[in-house]
Amino acid sequence: MTQAQLAENAGTSLRTVKRLESGENASLDTFLSVLRALRLDSHLETFLPDPNIRPLDRVKLSGQERQRASGRRVTGPASAWAWGEDDSE
């Protein structure tokens, strides 16, 4: 899809699409129109905070809201193997 086609589908000007693509300011309405034209508006939920956490809980966490679990962190060596050792002997 060209920028001109996107602008027409979104109901905005070509200049606005170019500005949005280059990271310049655009209104929220324009951004949403472009997302709809690209059929990406269903991805908007990924930008919203977790609705299961109440606003007061967020304040209590003081910005320390738990992020996605990263797994168990290994603090020591992963194995007892060392350079120079060979299992084929």
Side-chain angles (χ1 to χ4, degrees):
M1 177 183 300
T2 66
Q3 289 177 330
Q5 291 169 330
L6 177 58
E8 184 176 333
N9 292 344
T12 189
S13 70
L14 176 60
R15 172 74 180 125
T16 300
V17 170
K18 288 181 178 184
R19 283 191 2 248
L20 187 61
E21 187 176 281
S22 68
E24 295 179 33
N25 291 337
S27 71
L28 182 59
D29 289 336
T30 300
F31 180 67
L32 293 175
S33 296
V34 170
L35 283 180
R36 281 188 207 103
L38 292 170
R39 295 188 178 110
L40 295 174
D41 53 332
S42 63
H43 298 284
L44 285 173
E45 293 175 5
T46 59
F47 296 108
L48 300 175
D50 185 356
N52 295 320
I53 300 176
R54 298 182 344 220
L56 285 177
D57 292 338
R58 290 184 195 280
V59 171
K60 289 177 186 175
L61 291 171
S62 308
Q64 301 299 317
E65 184 175 332
R66 182 183 167 131
Q67 301 297 316
R68 188 179 300 163
S70 62
R72 189 173 188 181
R73 295 180 191 232
V74 178
T75 56
S79 69
W81 180 87
W83 286 103
E85 292 182 3
D86 189 5
D87 292 336
S88 63
E89 292 178 17

